[in-house]
Structures are given as C-alpha cells and as structure tokens.
Amino acid sequence: MAHTADPDRIGQHGLEIVKAVSEDLAVRQEPVDKCVTARITLPDPLVHAGAGG
C-alpha cells in the first residue's frame, strides 16, 4: 500500500502519485507481488482542442 507522507523519503512515491490522479484505486496482494488497478479519466482531446460542437 502507499506509504504515509514523509517529505524526507526518497523514492517509493509511485502509489501516492497514482492515488492522487486516479478516481478509484484498488491494490490486491498476490502470492508473490501485488495487483494495482487504477481508474483515470482522460480528457477528450476534441473538446480540449476547441473542435467540440
């Protein structure tokens, strides 16, 4: 799981970053490792380029 906030820690911020930008985050422990599933909404490129409508 994500570590608690520690400004002096170097590295291991990956899950903190994913959690900050995702709408939903699930971490499941596997026998050897872990499975991370994140739901992230990406902007619609047509809307943001001014071509929508």
Side-chain angles (χ1 to χ4, degrees):
M1 239 13 216
H3 295 280
T4 57
D6 180 359
D8 295 325
R9 187 178 73 239
I10 298 173
Q12 298 186 356
H13 293 277
L15 280 179
E16 294 172 29
I17 295 169
V18 172
K19 185 177 179 181
V21 300
S22 66
E23 294 177 30
D24 188 40
L25 176 66
V27 180
R28 184 179 72 237
Q29 191 65 44
E30 296 287 330
V32 177
D33 208 344
K34 62 182 161 259
C35 177
V36 178
T37 304
R39 183 169 42 131
I40 300 171
T41 300
L42 301 176
D44 185 336
L46 295 178
V47 172
H48 292 286

